[in-house]
Amino acid sequence: MERLPTGISRLDSMIGGGAPPGSVVLLAGEVGAGAREFVYTSVAMNGLKESDQELFDLYYGNAHDQARFPEEVHYISFTADSNALLEEMRYVMDDELVDAGTKHVEFADLSSQYFQLSQVPREWYSNATPDIGSLGDRDRRGTLNAIGEYLNEHGGGNLVVIDSVTDLLSAAEEQMDWNQITLLMKGLKKASYRWGGMVLLLVNTEALSDQHLGRLMDATDGTLLFEWESGGSERARTLVVKQFRGVLSRLEDENIIQFETEIHDGGFDISDVRKIR
């Protein structure tokens, strides 16, 4: 079976090359624990495969025999444009990796749809200067409709990042209902099987109740949980695969229960594997 690489080399090698095609993966983490860095690394490595094979070999290494890299990489954000995201990525990874890895990445800024019904001044999120005539020209599709339309056009066989579900939760009380978000995720899971790509959903666990996190986990194919773990005077980033269709069984066969992770110039990485004793 073909696998779509996450872009994290050591993880991909342990799960047979990556995730099954059509996977919707929830990346749920505490602030700074590695979920966002995982996203940046995934985007850069999958983009690097297309743009610079030599750098790809340097940063990622040999791809698994079953790995099929996406033809396109898309990054959807509700609050940041491409310049802001690229600057953030450069804080995490080497400039050459970011520049080459994002050369063909398509960034979709949905801030207009996200902020248009809020009290945020339009000039804060739009380059256009507002006037009386332009007020009637606003995009009224809404955030969820905009996501659906974008995914319908670009989801097939590609890697798509949605940054982030946390932003949708922040707007839920005023602009949409929580049930709408859950239904969107369930519909996305169903559609993703047909598209044959991979969708990564970023969410901050500190903004969720246990019930909401459980509902999101139920609506996706896999959940990677990023946490801080304290031991004495040191803190370590850890990754736990909570559930993952077609992946978790491989890790269970190896008795793997947790990964220690690190962030370096090559992005997010696994530094150690903890097994059941």
Side-chain angles (χ1 to χ4, degrees), residues 35-241:
R36 181 166 293 277
E37 290 79 5
F38 185 105
V39 164
Y40 291 162
T41 306
S42 179
V43 167
M45 291 302 175
N46 277 282
L48 198 62
K49 177 65 175 176
E50 177 70 19
S51 64
D52 194 319
Q53 184 64 48
E54 184 175 346
L55 277 181
F56 177 82
D57 292 340
L58 175 64
Y59 283 104
Y60 184 88
N62 296 324
H64 195 279
D65 292 340
Q66 292 177 303
R68 173 179 65 81
F69 286 81
E71 294 182 7
E72 300 175 5
V73 179
H74 296 266
Y75 196 119
I76 300 174
S77 175
F78 306 119
T79 60
D81 60 22
S82 59
N83 291 331
L85 291 169
L86 289 172
E87 184 176 354
E88 286 291 328
M89 293 177 73
R90 291 190 178 97
Y91 287 137
V92 177
M93 298 176 285
D94 279 345
D95 287 350
E96 66 169 356
L97 172 55
V98 175
D99 292 339
T102 60
K103 184 177 182 181
H104 301 295
V105 174
E106 188 73 27
F107 291 93
D109 180 6
L110 299 187
S111 57
S112 293
Q113 292 85 357
Y114 182 75
F115 287 118
Q116 67 175 343
L117 299 180
S118 72
Q119 300 302 312
V120 177
R122 191 182 184 193
E123 57 267 31
W124 289 9
Y125 60 86
S126 173
N127 293 327
T129 303
D131 55 48
I132 296 297
S134 66
L135 293 179
D137 297 330
R138 289 187 176 185
D139 190 339
R140 294 296 180 181
R141 293 176 299 167
T143 307
L144 298 187
N145 285 341
I147 297 171
E149 291 176 12
Y150 192 91
L151 288 169
N152 280 336
E153 184 176 354
H154 301 290
N158 298 325
L159 171 64
V160 180
V161 170
I162 297 180
D163 180 5
S164 67
V165 177
T166 311
D167 293 327
L168 293 179
L169 298 177
S170 299
E173 293 184 1
E174 297 183 4
Q175 299 182 25
M176 62 192 77
D177 184 80
W178 167 257
N179 290 329
Q180 289 180 285
I181 298 174
T182 305
L183 286 173
L184 174 69
M185 299 308 165
K186 288 182 178 291
L188 176 60
K189 180 179 178 180
K190 183 177 178 63
S192 187
Y193 288 133
R194 298 198 308 270
W195 295 334
M198 180 164 59
V199 180
L200 301 181
L201 306 173
L202 186 63
V203 68
N204 176 8
T205 55
E206 295 167 318
L208 294 174
S209 67
D210 290 341
Q211 180 184 11
H212 286 167
L213 178 58
R215 291 174 66 178
L216 288 176
M217 290 174 59
D218 183 59
T220 55
D221 297 297
T223 299
L224 306 185
L225 188 61
F226 301 80
E227 298 177 317
W228 284 103
E229 183 177 281
S230 297
S233 60
E234 298 183 355
R235 299 179 73 199
R237 295 180 176 93
T238 61
L239 165 62
V240 177
V241 182

Side-chain angles (χ1 to χ4, degrees), residues 2-34:
E2 289 185 337
R3 296 279 175 156
L4 292 175
T6 66
I8 313 304
S9 179
R10 194 174 181 192
L11 176 61
D12 289 338
S13 67
M14 285 187 284
I15 60 176
S23 294
V24 178
V25 186
L26 185 67
L27 307 177
E30 300 174 0
V31 173

